[in-house]
Amino acid sequence: MYSRARIEDTNSVCLWLGANVMLEYSCEEATTLLQKNSENAKASLEVLVADLQFLRDQVTIMQVTIAHVYNWDVHQKRIRQAGVPAKDS
């Protein structure tokens, strides 16, 4: 739902901070606070994206390692079934 409104010039604004907390700030203070929060959120996003990329890499490494272990086990079972003594490698 959208609405049009005409607001008179004001010297302060109320910001909803969450947890049922609303504070009144001057326009300058509110702008500074919102810009700082925006910068902090962007920095946090960059860190989270880097962490996610690291986790993706680790998942890929884990999947390849599991495949190697599985293939090694299949190879060892085939050797045992053939009756050839297994060598340590």
Side-chain angles (χ1 to χ4, degrees):
M1 180 183 298
Y2 296 94
S3 178
R4 290 182 182 242
R6 204 171 270 189
I7 300 172
E8 298 176 16
D9 287 338
T10 181
N11 294 331
S12 64
V13 294
C14 292
L15 295 180
W16 181 263
L17 302 177
N20 293 326
V21 175
M22 181 180 280
L23 293 177
E24 185 175 0
Y25 291 94
S26 70
C27 291
E28 294 81 23
E29 288 176 325
T31 302
T32 303
L33 177 68
L34 292 173
Q35 286 175 343
K36 181 180 176 186
N37 287 350
S38 176
E39 290 168 4
N40 289 340
K42 288 176 184 177
S44 293
L45 178 62
E46 290 177 12
V47 169
L48 289 173
V49 167
D51 288 347
L52 284 174
Q53 183 59 45
F54 174 77
L55 287 174
R56 280 189 207 109
D57 293 344
Q58 294 303 306
V59 167
T60 302
I61 290 168
M62 182 188 64
Q63 289 171 338
V64 169
T65 303
I66 288 172
H68 285 154
V69 170
Y70 177 80
N71 290 338
W72 177 84
D73 186 53
V74 168
H75 180 71
Q76 294 301 313
K77 286 180 183 177
R78 286 184 183 162
I79 289 173
R80 278 183 292 218
Q81 287 175 351
V84 177
K87 60 181 177 180
D88 295 334
S89 59

